Amino acid sequence: MYLKILNQIIFFSLITLIQIGFVGALPVWFSEFNLVLLILVFFLGFNKLKTALFWGAGMGIVYDLYSFAPSGAYTISMVITIFLAYFLMENFLTNRSLYSFLVLASFTFFCFEFFSYAIINISSLALNREFLFIFNKSFFLHKMYGLFLNLFLMSIFLYLFNFFSFRFKPVFLKKKKIIAAK
Amino acid sequence: MIFSKKKNIVIFIAAFALLVFLYGIGVLKPVENLLTRILNPVLKQFYIIGTDIKNIYEEQTSKYDLTKVVNELREEVMALSGENAKLKTVVRENDILREHLGFLERNELKYVMSNVISKEDILNVGGQTEVIIIDKGEQNGIRRGLSAVNSQGVIIGKVAEAKERVAKIYLASSDKCKLAVTILGDDDTSGIAQGSLGLVIKMDFIPQIKNLNINDIVVSSGLEKDIPRGLVVGKISEVRKESNKLWQSAIIEPMLDMDELIIVSVIIP
């Protein structure tokens, strides 16, 4: 059991480092790709709340190690996002179809960004530090493109996953013709 | 079962809140230092791979006319060679004068070399690279306000914050980075250089009576406490002068590609 926990710690640490170092260095819009949140959405989609919380808190801690935001800002944002996304999934998204994953992913990205900015800016206000000014066209355009990129990549991952397993419902229900026996 | 699930959630939240509190007050700093020490080399490698991919992508998509650029550079090299010869003479004269006057030997600049491990674009506000994270911090003598240079001694930015083992640097093209600068060869022309949109540097508060020329080299003036004099910032690409204003301004083009930084040195005063 401890080995399993240690494996998970190593794995989510590597994924977070890939997000911070590798993805951050990629050109143009590719740096908007959020591998961390996509993985958390996968876990939530399969009802693995405990795993999602453990991974989310761990990945948030690794984010905070390399961030100069107030201590715990990303960890808190990650955990709140997971709880809210789980609430949405349990009460409004009851099937595991592509559209429900995309809705869950959109909601998760929005929540994480919102809470991260909120916590950082509120604490900046309290500590008299620099403020992240976000109300401009460039910022929202950038975020929108980032969201579309992440949803596109999420769709690809889901289709690949579905190709190798059958844990998802189809997007469109197929109608079967019933031929009455004469 | 519902009670047990709620109990687990309450325990998780309590443990999590305690962890965040301890982290916030600094009790977990030794753990943080140990983790960053272990993770920094791995992060550095991921960043290098990502930067290599970015460079390949930009090379393929670049639409520069390379022949034109080569010809322009050849002309510039020839002009600089002539200037270099003149400067060497001046340096020799300076050395002789110093010996005669008995000046103390100037200290070599102290510096801390570090690797770039990330761009702090976790929230990615602007899309342009304006901040980099390096793998050295307070333990190595780095603190807020110090200058960072590349291997050719061109200033790339200023240290914004430093933790024990990592530090954040605002690039010179960031609007949060301000430098006291002067024109090389004209010490009377000083101003403040501030980044703009993550692309260029703008030099303001230059008196109208001063003559600025395109391609003039801009260097640090030494008027800032922790930044030595003579560090190259860039060259003037545009001069903005209006007769009804008190000051004129200049647009400075950085002399290096901020996105290709892998190793930087922080100058320690």
Side-chain angles (χ1 to χ4, degrees):
Chain A
M1 181 196 152
Y2 293 115
L3 194 64
K4 195 178 167 189
I5 293 171
L6 182 65
N7 281 341
Q8 289 198 17
I9 290 172
I10 292 170
F11 203 51
F12 72 58
S13 299
L14 275 174
I15 288 171
T16 317
L17 292 179
I18 289 171
Q19 176 67 40
I20 296 171
F22 175 73
V23 174
L26 291 178
V28 206
W29 310 115
F30 298 108
S31 59
E32 286 286 341
F33 180 46
N34 200 322
L35 182 63
V36 166
L37 288 182
L38 285 184
I39 287 172
L40 290 175
V41 167
F42 259 87
F43 285 137
L44 284 172
F46 292 121
N47 273 325
K48 292 188 176 181
L49 176 62
K50 274 187 192 171
T51 312
L53 279 172
F54 180 60
W55 277 56
M59 290 196 275
I61 287 169
V62 178
Y63 256 146
D64 280 321
L65 284 178
Y66 290 99
S67 147
F68 289 85
S71 303
Y74 291 114
T75 313
I76 294 170
S77 305
M78 200 77 83
V79 170
I80 294 174
T81 300
I82 291 168
F83 275 123
L84 289 175
Y86 183 71
F87 174 80
L88 174 78
M89 194 194 66
E90 285 289 294
N91 293 288
F92 299 100
L93 304 171
T94 49
N95 62 5
R96 283 201 297 262
S97 63
L98 174 68
Y99 86 88
S100 62
F101 266 86
L102 293 181
V103 166
L104 193 64
S106 306
F107 181 78
T108 309
F109 290 125
F110 172 75
C111 275
F112 178 69
E113 300 270 341
F114 175 79
F115 285 110
S116 304
Y117 276 112
I119 292 170
I120 290 168
N121 284 327
I122 288 169
S123 52
S124 297
L125 209 62
L127 299 169
N128 200 27
R129 290 172 74 177
E130 58 177 290
F131 199 79
L132 285 177
F133 183 70
I134 61 169
F135 296 109
N136 60 58
K137 180 183 160 190
S138 165
F139 170 79
F140 287 114
L141 208 62
H142 211 82
K143 289 299 168 191
M144 195 182 71
Y145 285 139
L147 177 64
F148 287 146
L149 174 70
N150 280 293
L151 291 179
F152 174 69
L153 289 167
M154 175 117 213
S155 309
I156 293 174
F157 288 147
L158 282 171
Y159 273 116
L160 283 173
F161 194 83
N162 193 43
F163 183 75
F164 293 106
S165 74
F166 296 96
R167 300 180 76 171
F168 297 106
K169 288 188 181 175
V171 177
F172 301 106
L173 292 172
K174 289 180 185 174
K175 289 181 185 172
K176 285 184 184 173
K177 278 188 184 174
I178 299 168
I179 302 167
K182 284 188 180 174
Chain B
M1 190 178 137
I2 296 168
F3 177 71
S4 156
K5 198 174 178 183
K6 277 191 180 171
K7 187 182 163 192
N8 283 339
I9 291 173
V10 168
I11 291 171
F12 173 82
I13 291 171
F16 176 73
L18 179 66
L19 185 70
V20 170
F21 173 71
L22 290 175
Y23 184 62
I25 61 172
V27 169
L28 295 178
K29 252 204 174 134
V31 178
E32 183 188 349
N33 291 341
L34 178 66
L35 284 173
T36 48
R37 197 174 176 174
I38 294 167
L39 297 176
N40 276 352
V42 181
L43 190 55
K44 181 187 111 184
Q45 292 308 321
F46 283 136
Y47 182 76
I48 289 171
I49 295 167
T51 306
D52 287 343
I53 291 173
K54 182 177 182 178
N55 290 338
I56 293 167
Y57 174 85
E58 283 176 352
E59 211 177 290
Q60 297 303 318
T61 57
S62 173
K63 291 178 183 173
Y64 287 140
D65 182 353
L66 291 173
T67 314
K68 189 178 165 192
V69 171
V70 165
N71 288 334
E72 281 172 8
L73 284 171
R74 271 204 188 117
E75 284 171 25
E76 199 176 329
V77 163
M78 281 172 59
L80 285 170
S81 298
E83 202 179 315
N84 192 27
K86 284 184 203 167
L87 285 170
K88 274 183 179 170
T89 316
V90 170
V91 164
R92 191 166 157 265
E93 284 174 6
N94 194 23
D95 286 340
I96 294 168
L97 282 168
R98 281 181 187 275
E99 276 180 34
H100 279 285
L101 290 169
F103 280 121
L104 291 167
E105 203 178 79
R106 273 184 74 189
N107 285 328
E108 295 278 339
L109 288 173
K110 289 185 213 166
Y111 62 90
V112 171
M113 210 178 278
S114 61
N115 298 297
V116 178
I117 53 173
S118 166
K119 297 173 191 175
E120 199 192 19
D121 285 334
I122 293 173
L123 287 180
N124 205 1
V125 179
Q128 294 291 341
T129 306
E130 296 192 8
V131 173
I132 55 172
I133 311 291
I134 58 173
D135 64 353
K136 296 282 193 305
E138 285 174 349
Q139 272 202 355
N140 308 96
I142 293 175
R143 55 182 163 78
R144 183 187 166 90
L146 299 182
S147 56
V149 298
N150 71 349
S151 53
Q152 280 89 39
V154 174
I155 195 165
I156 59 106
K158 275 168 86 165
V159 178
E161 285 180 69
K163 289 185 179 179
E164 285 283 321
R165 290 192 174 274
V166 289
K168 175 167 110 172
I169 293 176
Y170 284 135
L171 295 180
S173 54
S174 164
D175 57 3
K176 295 185 184 72
C177 180
K178 288 183 187 175
L179 295 161
V181 298
T182 184
I183 306 294
L184 184 67
D186 181 6
D187 291 346
D188 293 334
T189 309
S190 299
I192 303 289
Q194 184 176 7
S196 176
L197 303 173
L199 294 167
V200 292
I201 305 165
K202 202 174 164 196
M203 184 175 169
D204 281 321
F205 305 113
I206 308 166
Q208 285 277 4
I209 55 169
K210 298 294 176 186
N211 277 330
L212 300 175
N213 302 307
I214 307 290
N215 291 328
D216 275 350
I217 305 290
V218 178
V219 297
S220 55
S221 61
L223 294 173
E224 283 182 270
K225 186 181 143 200
D226 292 323
I227 300 180
R229 183 188 170 81
L231 297 175
V232 174
V233 176
K235 62 180 179 183
I236 293 177
S237 60
E238 188 186 332
V239 178
R240 290 177 184 171
K241 195 172 184 171
E242 285 170 50
S243 53
N244 59 341
K245 291 199 173 162
L246 201 57
W247 312 102
Q248 59 178 321
S249 63
I251 302 296
I252 302 168
E253 193 187 313
M255 283 177 115
L256 58 111
D257 186 352
M258 301 288 187
D259 288 338
E260 286 181 357
L261 292 169
I262 304 284
I263 296 176
V264 300
S265 298
V266 178
I267 308 286
I268 308 290

